[in-house]
Amino acid sequence: MAARLDNFSELARRRGMTPASERVAFERRRATTQEAAALALPDADEIVRLTRLRKADGQIFWIDVTTLALAVLPDASAIGESLYAYLERIGKPVLRVTEKLRAIVATEELAARLGIEPGEPLLHIRRTGYTHDDQPVELTDAYYLNDFYELTP
């Protein structure tokens, strides 16, 4: 049975909450060898890394760091509320994902951004999103504070 892919905004709305994203950082640089391989890009191609706090009703629930090819997202302001809705608008919808889940403890940097104490438990999910022809389009590291994330069969 396939799991249903929900984005943050859908999860929040289903709970009767108002979703919001706060852009923390937007970095443009050459891809590392690992990033280029994960996104099927030529070595040293340019990428962008978008860091966002994800909130519902003003409360922080997670932070994600998304890596995309520069050609996919040359300007962070183009996203609006939802990265996946943006990708759909530009003809690169996320059609399937692979995810690796693991429990971690918050580093000092993550704790400071999430407003928690270092060492608190977090759920880390590394997701690769694929578009048409099984082309990888996004690589995201997400760090979740609680049970807000749902994987629904």
Side-chain angles (χ1 to χ4, degrees):
M1 178 180 292
R4 191 171 97 201
L5 176 64
D6 287 325
N7 67 32
F8 176 78
S9 298
E10 291 167 344
L11 288 173
R13 285 191 191 103
R14 206 166 41 242
R15 293 174 181 203
M17 304 172 91
T18 302
S21 290
E22 177 185 328
R23 188 173 65 217
V24 175
F26 185 73
E27 170 191 12
R28 177 181 167 173
R29 62 172 169 75
R30 297 266 177 227
T32 65
T33 302
Q34 294 83 7
E35 290 164 337
L39 292 171
L41 299 172
D43 282 342
D45 212 12
E46 284 195 275
I47 54 99
V48 292
R49 285 177 50 99
L50 173 67
T51 303
R52 298 176 296 165
L53 283 176
R54 310 310 298 268
K55 300 177 181 181
D57 290 349
Q59 180 182 350
I60 297 170
F61 283 97
W62 79 65
I63 188 169
D64 57 37
V65 181
T66 301
T67 305
L68 305 129
L70 175 64
V72 171
L73 183 63
D75 178 9
S77 67
I79 294 173
E81 181 184 311
S82 169
L83 174 64
Y84 280 15
Y86 165 79
L87 292 172
E88 196 159 314
R89 282 193 312 271
I90 66 165
K92 295 184 180 297
V94 173
L95 302 174
R96 80 171 183 92
V97 299
T98 59
E99 291 185 327
K100 294 180 183 178
L101 291 73
R102 66 186 180 121
I104 64 169
V105 295
T107 62
E108 286 192 26
E109 179 184 353
L110 280 172
R113 289 201 170 169
L114 292 168
I116 60 174
E117 293 295 318
E120 285 196 34
L122 295 173
L123 174 63
H124 171 232
I125 299 179
R126 170 158 284 187
R127 178 181 61 247
T128 303
Y130 298 86
T131 191
H132 302 288
D133 299 323
D134 223 24
Q135 175 68 34
V137 68
E138 61 121 358
L139 177 63
T140 297
D141 285 292
Y143 304 90
Y144 299 80
L145 284 175
N146 58 26
D147 63 352
F148 194 81
Y149 181 81
E150 292 178 0
L151 181 62
T152 307

